[in-house]
Amino acid sequence: IGATLAAIVAAVVSMALGSYLSTRTEVRYYQAQVHREKREMDDMPEEELAEMRHIYRGYGFSEEETEIFLSRFEQDHDLWLNLMLRDELGIIPESFESPVKNAALMALAVLSGSIPPLLPNIILSVPMAAFVWVIWLSALTAFVLGALTGQSTGETWWKSGLSFLAVSSIAAVIGMGAGHFITPLLGVG
């Protein structure tokens, strides 16, 4: 049980840190794009206005409508920047995710998925009986987590549950296979 708890802690920490780093990197990349766009607006306003003219003409606005937009942009640089980010780069600064929040959610998700399969090892003293329950509880937990994810994303709950179960099963088979082949190489087990 000690090794299992250590593996759970390692999984929670590594997944949380991975989520944190991934989100932080994405946010920093987007922030760099925001700064680049601000600099271009300051250094090359005519080129940036030409880009916006092209974008809005592509949306089907008339020349007159486009020029009304552009004159408004020249008066309100915050509006201009936000529209440049959205329409040229597809970036909406208000939607930047929090690295800390994403890390906490990931840690909670990994922990939630790890606890149910651990319970048979704590309760049952016969390893093979515990293993069977671990497999069933792992599958059930994966399906339920997938179904809950499906409900929050608008997918069909049972399809999302099965999809999550399939991906989790593949990961488990790869992990067990790696353990099966690595253990003899290390001379343990």
Side-chain angles (χ1 to χ4, degrees), residues 9-23:
V9 169
V12 167
V13 170
S14 67
M15 294 297 286
L17 289 176
S19 178
Y20 173 84
L21 291 172
S22 172
T23 304

Side-chain angles (χ1 to χ4, degrees), residues 17 31 41 49 52 57-58 62 71 85 96 103 113 124 128 133 137 170 172 179 183:
L17 289 176
Q31 288 171 336
M41 287 171 56
L49 287 170
M52 292 305 289
R57 294 289 290 140
S62 69
S71 68
L85 292 171
F96 290 174
L124 300 174
M128 205 55 201
W133 278 102
L137 283 173
I170 291 168
T183 300

Side-chain angles (χ1 to χ4, degrees), residues 34 52 57 126 132 144 151 164:
V34 170
M52 292 305 289
R57 294 289 290 140
V126 179
V132 171
V144 168
Q151 291 223 304
F164 199 89

Side-chain angles (χ1 to χ4, degrees), residues 39-173:
R39 191 177 58 250
E40 288 177 357
M41 287 171 56
D42 289 339
D43 296 346
M44 308 176 297
E46 287 307 315
E47 287 87 349
E48 294 300 295
L49 287 170
E51 286 178 15
M52 292 305 289
R53 184 175 288 113
H54 178 74
I55 289 169
Y56 285 110
R57 294 289 290 140
Y59 286 160
F61 289 102
S62 69
E63 234 177 276
E64 297 79 30
E65 292 168 325
T66 302
E67 293 310 314
I68 291 170
F69 286 137
L70 297 182
S71 68
R72 178 79 168 111
F73 295 160
E74 290 177 309
Q75 296 168 14
D76 187 343
H77 280 239
D78 289 337
L79 173 65
W80 183 10
L81 175 62
N82 285 332
L83 291 175
M84 286 291 292
L85 292 171
R86 185 193 73 192
D87 293 338
E88 181 186 11
L89 302 175
I91 296 174
I92 301 172
E94 298 82 26
S95 69
F96 290 174
E97 295 182 350
S98 163
V100 173
K101 181 181 175 185
N102 279 3
L105 288 172
M106 179 60 75
L108 183 62
V110 173
L111 187 60
S112 298
S114 300
I115 298 297
L118 175 64
L119 294 177
N121 289 307
I122 295 171
I123 297 169
L124 300 174
S125 59
V126 179
M128 205 55 201
F131 181 72
V132 171
W133 278 102
V134 165
I135 298 297
W136 281 107
L137 283 173
S138 296
L140 179 63
T141 301
F143 180 81
V144 168
L145 288 172
L148 291 172
T149 300
Q151 291 223 304
S152 67
T153 61
E155 296 177 70
T156 305
W157 67 270
W158 61 269
K159 284 183 181 178
S160 182
L162 288 176
S163 175
F164 199 89
L165 174 59
V167 170
S168 299
S169 298
I170 291 168
V173 167

